Amino acid sequence: MRIARFSTGEGVTFGVVEGGPGEEFVSAITGHPFGEVQFTGERYPLSQVKLLAPMLPSKVVAIGRNYAEHARELGNEVPDEPLIFMKPSTSVIGHGEAVAYPTSLSHRVDYEGELAVVIGRLCREVPVERVKDVIFGYTCANDVTARDLQKRDVQFTRAKSFDTFCPLGPWIRTDLDPSDLALTTTVNGEVRQSGRTSQLIHDIPALVAYVSAVMTLIPGDVILTGTPAGVGPVEIGDEVSVGIEGIGTLTNKVVARD
């Protein structure tokens, strides 16, 4: 099932995306998608609605250096344990929204295509064998990073936290095996990243167990699982797309913030 959050111009709601490419429509549902889905009977062509960030998480927990080749391309060692950092909820935007390049503060902004895990239940200290019970689904993410600020600050907070630096979407896929999915990032149609989730150093059950041992996870919270090799800079006017097998493609254009 593909769960989308969307606007019709008259309000914001959730819906289920159905149909094949070019013929997709979204069927509105009542309330929040956690739990049993109930349809309202309203249906809209996908082309006539605005897709929004599929969730508004209380927090985004991201994992660094979780693909060996990516760690090496930045001159870093592969960590023995998951390396976690946070992105604020205010960094989240949806498919089609603009990434704002903070030109007065940074001169090197990078894309990082990633698989995102969406939590579906309040949970803490989740055993690896029960992780699947607390996951709502999966979506595409772009962990946008001010690389020069990351190097200058050493820790990641400022570089990862600008408004618009966490595109998510286009929707959440709930019925998916995430263990070996192709992930591709393009800039202006040119492939820059190509990897598979089977290359993750720490897999999704291990990540959710590790993060939930540190902090309580709330329905809608997002865990970014790391990015494969091939990260690089974007410029104002570039269009970045993150496509993940079985989910879809998240596309955002880069504009000047200042």
Side-chain angles (χ1 to χ4, degrees):
M1 186 180 295
R2 294 176 290 175
I3 300 291
R5 180 171 162 267
F6 67 98
S7 170
T8 62
E10 298 180 355
V12 175
T13 189
F14 288 95
V16 176
V17 179
E18 302 175 90
E23 299 180 349
E24 292 161 317
F25 59 91
V26 58
S27 297
I29 61 176
T30 58
H32 209 279
F34 300 134
E36 184 178 354
V37 170
Q38 295 184 338
F39 293 96
T40 66
E42 298 173 304
R43 298 172 65 185
Y44 307 91
L46 190 62
S47 60
Q48 295 182 17
V49 303
K50 176 178 174 56
L51 290 175
L52 306 172
M55 283 291 165
L56 294 178
S58 75
K59 54 187 171 291
V60 177
V61 184
I63 310 298
R65 304 171 193 167
N66 202 26
Y67 286 79
E69 289 299 319
H70 169 61
R72 284 192 280 268
E73 75 178 345
L74 295 183
N76 298 311
E77 298 292 329
V78 175
D80 293 330
E81 296 181 300
L83 172 63
I84 65 175
F85 59 92
M86 307 282 285
K87 294 174 81 80
S89 59
T90 48
S91 67
V92 173
I93 58 172
H95 171 76
E97 294 186 80
V99 172
Y101 195 128
T103 53
S104 65
L105 295 172
S106 173
H107 302 290
R108 168 69 186 264
V109 171
D110 284 13
Y111 56 83
E112 293 189 9
E114 308 199 12
L115 173 69
V117 180
V118 181
I119 299 299
R121 292 174 57 184
L122 183 72
C123 60
R124 179 172 175 265
E125 298 181 347
V126 183
V128 168
E129 61 273 14
R130 293 188 56 197
V131 164
K132 64 179 181 181
D133 298 331
V134 305
I135 292 177
F136 178 67
Y138 307 90
T139 192
C140 305
N142 186 355
D143 176 20
V144 183
T145 304
R147 192 71 68 199
D148 52 350
L149 301 184
Q150 183 184 22
K151 291 180 179 179
R152 186 187 312 168
D153 295 351
V154 182
Q155 54 85 26
F156 296 177
T157 303
R158 182 166 62 138
K160 302 281 191 174
S161 296
F162 286 95
D163 291 355
T164 75
F165 269 28
C166 190
L168 298 174
W171 42 63
I172 299 168
R173 185 69 184 262
T174 61
D175 51 345
L176 187 68
D177 178 356
S179 60
D180 187 27
L181 303 175
L183 185 157
T184 303
T185 304
T186 66
V187 178
N188 302 324
E190 178 183 343
V191 175
R192 300 289 180 85
Q193 290 182 288
S194 181
R196 301 195 71 87
T197 56
S198 55
Q199 298 169 324
L200 289 169
I201 297 168
H202 305 287
D203 65 13
I204 289 169
L207 294 178
V208 175
Y210 187 88
V211 172
S212 69
V214 177
M215 65 191 79
T216 298
L217 296 172
I218 297 171
D221 280 353
V222 170
I223 297 176
L224 307 186
T225 58
T227 192
V231 300
V234 293
E235 303 295 340
I236 293 168
D238 284 348
E239 185 175 81
V240 182
S241 294
V242 179
I244 300 179
E245 180 182 6
I247 299 177
T249 301
L250 166 69
T251 300
N252 303 89
K253 192 168 184 178
V254 182
V255 302
R257 189 181 82 165
D258 305 312

